Amino acid sequence: MFDYNGPGEETAHAVAGTIQVAGSPLAKGTVRFMPASGSMSSGSGAFIKNGEYEIPLEDGLIAGRYQVHISSISVDEQIRAAREGGSEAAKLQESVPARFNRESEIFVEVTPDGSILGFDFDLK
């Protein structure tokens, strides 16, 4: 699990959902919830396995707006490629379009009462 929790006394909320690419579950990867400007949180993230992810309460999200970054490249693959050098990094194939990861157009809102909307994603 990634730990992007920030300072503050706000209540965190567990988050879980599914991620599909063109109607099929994303086999593996990562999902990160990065705070949009003005948020008190520093975000959180989780690993994706068989199209599902879960952020437990202890790593949860506080109320605010988040930009969602989804990648099909696992952390293990990223670490291995970094250790082995540039040629290995070049071999990593991202199956998620840039508009859903490094140039994400996905934003979600967590409300103060813990209502969480839009945490299942079908990337088309």
Side-chain angles (χ1 to χ4, degrees):
M1 200 62 54
F2 301 113
D3 184 11
Y4 297 106
N5 288 331
E9 300 298 321
E10 303 232 15
T11 302
H13 304 283
V15 177
T18 61
I19 298 176
Q20 297 185 28
V21 177
S24 296
L26 183 60
K28 63 174 176 49
T30 58
V31 58
R32 293 179 297 141
F33 292 85
M34 303 304 293
S37 61
S39 174
M40 297 296 288
S41 174
S42 55
S44 192
F47 299 113
I48 301 164
K49 184 174 180 180
N50 299 322
E52 298 180 351
Y53 71 93
E54 182 177 356
I55 300 174
L57 185 61
E58 61 267 14
D59 296 324
L61 300 175
I62 64 170
R65 185 170 163 83
Y66 295 86
Q67 184 176 33
V68 182
H69 299 260
I70 299 169
S71 175
S72 65
I73 301 172
S74 72
V75 172
D76 291 342
E77 291 172 312
Q78 293 173 16
I79 291 169
R80 185 174 51 254
R83 286 183 182 153
E84 295 178 13
S87 63
E88 287 302 311
K91 293 179 186 177
L92 295 177
Q93 295 294 318
E94 177 64 73
S95 65
V96 175
R99 71 180 186 273
F100 303 123
N101 58 46
R102 68 181 176 275
E103 299 169 13
S104 182
E105 300 169 355
I106 306 170
F107 289 87
V108 295
E109 185 84 24
V110 177
T111 64
D113 69 357
S115 296
I116 300 171
L117 304 174
F119 286 73
D120 290 331
F121 305 100
D122 190 357
L123 313 178
K124 297 177 183 179

